[in-house]
């Protein structure tokens, strides 16, 4: 594979000596216009990589916050096609920030794998996280995605043993997403001391950057993770700000405030 925006961003951050701030937002939440404004504003608020959720009716790995975000997005008429259109629009003013599509295989399968990969690449997508496609199914999407020049990013968990880890890492590129808590998204915050041991085991098996997600809700928590990981992923906390907002302007403002706080926490840590 040729180098992607994700590869370039992690290399630049390594030279800076800090971890990446990876944000997750749902396409079309709370509506398509506001979701686009939020995506547009995230890089200035400090996001290094943006994960964009593909709304799906049966998000089995997600907790209540992201499930509700998906329902709001579907109610606003969001489709995979409109999600790709949002990213294409984003790319008109931002050609640097890596964008990762995250979700489930069903919408991609329905769209058509070959057509999806071509449209995703043309829209400016850099990588995919598809949570319900195990490594045994690599020929379905992983290998075609890599051939199309998209990173295929895998999740590992505290219960991933050494044998399974080897299979997970086999065709992974871009970075590894370490799910630090057993359970659905938005669970309790991870303890840095517990995460550090697992991260070392993963790093012994791969040279890829490792980003840690699930449960990070503040700048202080993000700083703790940034001390030991190559990236901190924040999703449910941002989604909660959207859900609590009384109007669209407040949703944008509130998400940017929290993103800026978390970004400052991550940037306060310097690796030597």
């Amino acid at each position: 594979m040729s180098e992607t925006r994700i590869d370039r961003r992690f290399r630049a951050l390594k030279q800076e000596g800090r971890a990446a701030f990876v944000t997750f937002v749902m396409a079309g939440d709370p509506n398509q216009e506001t979701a686009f404004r939020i995506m547009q504003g995230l890089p200035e608020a400090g996001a290094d990589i943006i994960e964009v959720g593909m709304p799906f009716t049966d998000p089995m790995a997600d907790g209540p916050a992201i499930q509700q975000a998906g329902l709001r997005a579907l109610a606003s008429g969001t489709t995979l096609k409109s999600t790709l259109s949002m990213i294409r629009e984003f790319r008109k003013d931002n050609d640097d920030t890596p964008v990762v599509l995250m979700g489930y295989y069903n919408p991609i399968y329905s769209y058509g794998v070959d057509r999806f990969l071509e449209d995703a690449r043309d829209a400016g997508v850099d990588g995919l996280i598809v949570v319900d496609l195990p490594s045994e199914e690599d020929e379905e999407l992983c290998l075609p995605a890599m051939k199309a020049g998209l990173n295929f990013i895998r999740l590992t968990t505290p219960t991933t043993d050494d044998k399974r880890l080897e299979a997970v890492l086999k065709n992974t590129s871009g970075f590894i997403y370490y799910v630090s808590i057993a359970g659905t998204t938005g669970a309790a915050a991870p303890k840095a001391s517990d995460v550090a041991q697992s991260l070392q085991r993963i790093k012994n098996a791969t040279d890829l950057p490792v980003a840690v997600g699930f449960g990070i809700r503040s700048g202080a928590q993000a700083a703790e993770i940034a001390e030991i990981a190559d990236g901190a992923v924040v999703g449910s906390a941002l989604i909660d700000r959207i859900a609590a907002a009384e109007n669209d302007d407040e949703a944008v403002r509130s998400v940017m405030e929290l993103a800026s706080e978390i970004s400052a926490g991550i940037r306060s840590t310097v690796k030597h």
Side-chain angles (χ1 to χ4, degrees):
M1 269 186 70
S2 56
E3 192 176 59
T4 65
R5 289 184 187 90
I6 296 170
D7 301 324
R8 289 194 290 273
R9 180 55 55 96
F10 273 109
R11 190 178 70 238
L13 291 175
K14 190 173 185 179
Q15 290 171 349
E16 280 184 45
R18 70 169 177 86
F21 176 26
V22 184
T23 57
F24 172 90
V25 288
M26 183 68 70
D29 178 36
N31 53 64
Q32 294 183 49
E33 181 186 347
T34 307
F36 177 64
R37 288 172 60 197
I38 289 169
M39 187 180 185
Q40 268 190 315
L42 282 171
E44 191 175 337
D48 296 301
I49 297 172
I50 301 173
E51 293 176 2
V52 175
M54 300 177 282
F56 180 49
T57 51
D58 188 23
M60 60 187 180
D62 293 312
I66 293 178
Q67 284 185 14
Q68 291 300 314
L71 291 174
R72 289 192 296 270
L74 291 169
S76 76
T78 304
T79 62
L80 189 47
K81 187 176 181 180
S82 70
T83 298
L84 294 175
S85 295
M86 180 179 77
I87 294 167
R88 190 175 290 109
E89 193 68 24
F90 174 79
R91 283 286 176 233
K92 290 180 180 178
D93 297 313
N94 187 316
D95 194 45
D96 297 324
T97 304
V99 174
V100 176
L101 279 177
M102 184 171 186
Y104 299 83
Y105 184 48
N106 186 278
I108 296 171
Y109 178 79
S110 299
Y111 194 98
V113 169
D114 292 343
R115 176 174 160 238
F116 165 75
L117 291 173
E118 184 177 346
D119 289 356
R121 186 188 59 217
D122 290 348
V125 174
D126 303 292
L128 304 174
I129 301 175
V130 183
V131 300
D132 56 347
L133 269 187
S135 55
E136 288 80 6
E137 307 289 340
D138 276 357
E139 291 185 6
E140 284 282 330
L141 182 64
C142 174
L143 297 180
M146 291 171 68
K147 191 174 180 182
L150 300 178
N151 290 129
F152 202 85
I153 298 149
R154 297 274 192 206
L155 281 71
T156 66
T157 74
T159 59
T160 305
D161 62 25
D162 289 345
K163 185 178 179 182
R164 185 68 195 158
L165 182 61
E166 185 180 346
V168 165
L169 294 174
K170 187 177 178 185
N171 291 313
T172 300
S173 62
F175 63 97
I176 303 294
Y177 186 153
Y178 177 64
V179 178
S180 56
I181 298 289
T184 56
T185 54
K191 289 184 180 178
S193 56
D194 295 339
V195 172
Q197 192 172 353
S198 295
L199 284 185
Q200 191 55 54
R201 187 169 67 90
I202 298 167
K203 284 185 162 295
N204 288 341
T206 181
D207 293 330
L208 288 171
V210 184
V212 174
F214 280 46
I216 300 170
R217 308 193 71 84
S218 69
Q221 290 172 340
E224 282 191 355
I225 295 301
E227 290 270 9
I228 58 173
D230 301 303
V233 187
V234 180
S236 294
L238 299 175
I239 299 289
D240 284 345
R241 290 292 182 102
I242 295 171
E246 293 186 3
N247 56 59
D248 294 344
D249 289 343
E250 184 187 330
V252 175
R253 186 170 58 250
S254 185
V255 168
M256 296 311 138
E257 284 173 359
L258 181 57
S260 297
E261 178 207 322
I262 291 171
S263 171
I266 291 171
R267 282 168 167 75
S268 72
T269 66
V270 178
K271 300 174 188 292
H272 300 288

